[in-house]
Amino acid sequence: MTKADRKKAIIVFAVLAGVFLLGSILTGGHGEKHETVQEMMQDAVMHELNKVSLFGIKDVNPGLIAAFVVSGILILFALICRLFVIPRFKLVPGKFQMLLETAVGLFDGMAKSNSHHLNKFLGAYIFTAGTYIFTGTIFELFGIQAITTNGHPISLPAPLADINGAIMMGCLSYLVIMSGGVAVNGIKGVGKALKDFSLPISMSFRMFGALLSGALVTELVYYYSALSYGLPIIVGVLFTLLHALIQAYVLTMLTSMFYGENAEKSEKKPKKKKAKDKTVIAEADQAASA
Amino acid sequence: MTGLPLNVDWQQILLHLFNFTILFGALYVLLYKPVKDFMDGREAHYAEMDSAAEKALADAESSKETYESKLKSFDAEIKAERSKAGEEIDEEKKRRLEAAKTEADKIISDAKAEAEAEKGKIIASAQKDITKLISEAMEKLAIGESDKDVFDKFLDAAEGEDK
């Protein structure tokens, strides 16, 4: 590209941006907003106003619909990979093969390094959880629309920005941790896991809080059209990417660490012979005093 | 279910759980397991290659050691072979010398016998000649030739015979 071409491209880009900005300012007052920012933010937390019908069976939070959509996308992706990509795997991997192998290897390695026992299941679980959290969080960037029961369009949020999704993930991770303990140590494993009874709550609400705050900030920014230029690149894309990575890493890391801790074989402590020891000490004292 | 804070809905939690379980199963079967199997297979393949290379290296090392020890024993073998060959040569030499000596003895004894036979023949011939000469001389004496003539004739005859 020559200098002149580059200049032309910059001018066209600036003109287009200016036109869009002007258009948004001119049309700003006429856009229909069916809820105030307060209502919108309250609804993002409470899910009272905007419900989506689940095939006419039940009105559910948009997060659940988002969860089904994300799962559908992931399963389709996995199916395509299984049918067309994995059979063509080579000993020396290409770029896409490398990507898949890195993802699998990352979670498998994390499971192996944190738990010496039963890490095969743990690897599969944290792979799914990590992929789900990451993809689900990225998913909110696409702004896929759904129609609420009130007839208003709503962009689907991250599945785990829904409190029910976050509770499910936190509690399931806790059950997985507990299962590791039970599988290795039997009933003692339950006791070990019960020591960390606050874990499901902390895991659930950490995830819910992190994803919800991201969603709220993004919603807030998009609510005002004047803030919709430039700023979403940082608060929308970069923040979402960051917390997608961070949350996926945090939950999988915590799960694998606690799982490894619980799945550790407990060593039998030798019984202390207190009475015998006491007599030995007393005899030694007597001998010393004599 | 109403009454729970933040509108927590157990039914929706179970639906989330159902969704995640389906996702777990599908991702495990379709993506995680095949990729991991491939990676494990590749690791096993390279481990096998590595062990084969190590085995080949160990074989080469042992072959090297064998050949080195063979080379070392080869000198001793050469020495032994050389001494054996020397002994054989000595034996052959001795045998040939004995054969030669036997043959020489035989030649000498044959020659001696031949010479003896020749000598006997010559003596016999000389005796015959002498007898003949004496008989001739006696004949001439009887016919009447002088002693001097007879003697001269005898000498001439002897000289002629020498020639």
Side-chain angles (χ1 to χ4, degrees):
Chain A
M1 193 185 261
T2 59
K3 268 190 174 181
D5 290 340
R6 204 177 297 164
K7 250 186 187 176
K8 266 185 198 172
I10 291 168
I11 289 166
V12 169
F13 179 76
V15 168
L16 278 174
V19 168
F20 292 144
L21 179 64
L22 195 67
S24 68
I25 291 167
L26 290 174
T27 57
H30 306 291
E32 254 188 63
K33 284 194 170 108
H34 58 86
E35 57 187 351
T36 62
V37 69
Q38 286 87 356
E39 283 171 342
M40 182 209 66
M41 291 183 82
Q42 190 183 343
D43 189 55
V45 183
M46 304 293 285
H47 305 293
E48 282 170 332
L49 292 173
N50 294 318
K51 297 268 185 188
V52 180
S53 175
L54 181 70
F55 309 117
I57 305 164
K58 182 183 164 65
D59 293 345
V60 294
N61 297 342
L64 184 62
I65 304 296
F68 288 142
V69 175
V70 168
S71 293
I73 291 168
L74 281 174
I75 290 170
L76 186 69
F77 172 76
L79 192 66
I80 290 168
C81 285
R82 182 71 191 91
L83 292 176
F84 303 112
V85 180
I86 293 170
R88 293 189 185 118
F89 268 13
K90 289 170 186 167
L91 282 179
V92 180
K95 284 175 187 170
F96 189 62
Q97 184 185 340
M98 185 79 90
L99 182 79
L100 290 177
E101 283 186 15
T102 306
V104 171
L106 176 80
F107 291 110
D108 184 48
M110 195 187 274
K112 278 179 183 163
S113 63
N114 283 302
S115 174
H116 300 293
H117 309 285
L118 301 169
N119 49 34
K120 207 176 167 186
F121 168 71
L122 178 67
Y125 175 75
I126 59 172
F127 172 75
T128 311
T131 311
Y132 181 63
I133 296 167
F134 182 78
T135 320
T137 313
I138 296 287
F139 173 76
E140 74 178 12
L141 276 181
F142 295 97
I144 292 172
Q145 300 289 305
I147 305 296
T148 62
T149 45
N150 303 327
H152 302 298
I154 187 173
S155 57
L156 291 175
L160 297 169
D162 177 7
I163 184 74
N164 300 317
I167 287 173
M168 180 279 296
M169 188 51 86
C171 291
L172 185 64
S173 299
Y174 183 67
L175 283 175
V176 167
I177 291 164
M178 198 188 270
S179 74
V182 172
V184 177
N185 295 316
I187 201 76
K188 275 184 186 173
V190 181
K192 259 185 166 183
L194 283 175
K195 277 194 297 187
D196 306 309
F197 64 91
S198 63
L199 205 61
I201 301 163
S202 70
M203 275 176 137
S204 304
F205 282 85
R206 180 188 291 114
M207 189 168 293
F208 176 60
L211 294 179
L212 184 72
S213 60
L216 287 180
V217 171
T218 313
E219 285 281 346
L220 191 64
V221 168
Y222 280 113
Y223 191 83
Y224 299 105
S225 57
L227 292 174
S228 303
Y229 293 90
L231 204 57
I233 297 169
I234 299 163
V235 293
V237 181
L238 289 182
F239 281 6
T240 306
L241 279 172
L242 259 179
H243 76 236
L245 274 174
I246 292 166
Q247 289 312 312
Y249 180 74
V250 167
L251 185 116
T252 51
M253 178 54 87
L254 281 176
T255 307
S256 52
M257 272 172 64
F258 282 110
Y259 183 94
E261 204 177 290
N262 273 286
E264 201 70 40
K265 275 182 184 167
S266 52
E267 288 174 14
K268 284 181 182 174
K269 288 177 186 174
K271 287 178 183 175
K272 286 177 186 175
K273 294 171 183 174
K274 283 180 183 174
K276 202 177 177 183
D277 287 349
K278 275 178 186 173
T279 50
V280 170
I281 291 164
E283 279 171 8
D285 284 343
Q286 278 176 359
S289 60
Chain B
M1 193 180 280
T2 54
L4 284 169
L6 293 168
N7 280 329
V8 173
D9 184 347
W10 291 110
Q11 200 176 13
Q12 286 192 51
I13 290 173
L14 289 174
L15 281 169
H16 271 287
L17 190 63
F18 163 74
N19 172 56
F20 188 80
T21 311
I22 299 286
L23 181 68
F24 173 77
L27 282 191
Y28 179 73
V29 173
L30 296 173
L31 201 61
Y32 185 79
K33 195 172 178 288
V35 173
K36 199 167 176 304
D37 284 349
F38 177 82
M39 286 163 75
D40 290 344
R42 185 176 53 195
E43 200 179 323
H45 171 71
Y46 282 122
E48 201 177 304
M49 273 174 76
D50 196 39
S51 67
E54 270 179 16
K55 194 174 170 278
L57 192 70
D59 286 351
E61 287 286 334
S62 72
S63 296
K64 192 186 164 192
E65 276 173 19
T66 310
Y67 285 120
E68 273 177 356
S69 67
K70 268 188 184 174
L71 275 174
K72 276 178 191 169
S73 68
F74 200 59
D75 286 341
E77 212 171 303
I78 287 171
K79 215 174 179 180
E81 285 291 323
R82 197 174 280 170
S83 70
K84 196 181 167 189
E87 278 171 16
E88 278 177 7
I89 287 167
D90 284 348
E91 217 166 272
E92 181 69 18
K93 200 172 146 187
K94 206 174 168 185
R95 193 182 59 75
R96 283 191 182 184
L97 270 173
E98 273 176 11
K101 201 178 170 186
T102 316
E103 204 178 336
D105 286 348
K106 195 189 167 204
I107 290 167
I108 289 166
S109 68
D110 285 354
K112 271 184 181 173
E114 209 173 309
E116 284 294 325
E118 193 68 25
K119 190 181 162 188
K121 217 188 266 179
I122 290 167
I123 289 169
S125 166
Q127 278 178 343
K128 206 191 263 182
D129 286 347
I130 290 166
T131 312
K132 191 183 169 186
L133 284 171
I134 291 169
S135 65
E136 278 177 6
M138 290 303 282
E139 273 177 18
K140 277 177 185 173
L141 272 175
I143 297 165
E145 275 182 32
S146 67
D147 291 343
K148 199 188 169 191
D149 291 338
V150 174
F151 189 71
D152 286 338
K153 272 186 180 177
F154 175 73
L155 285 176
D156 288 339
E159 277 176 0
E161 245 180 38
D162 282 345
K163 283 173 186 175

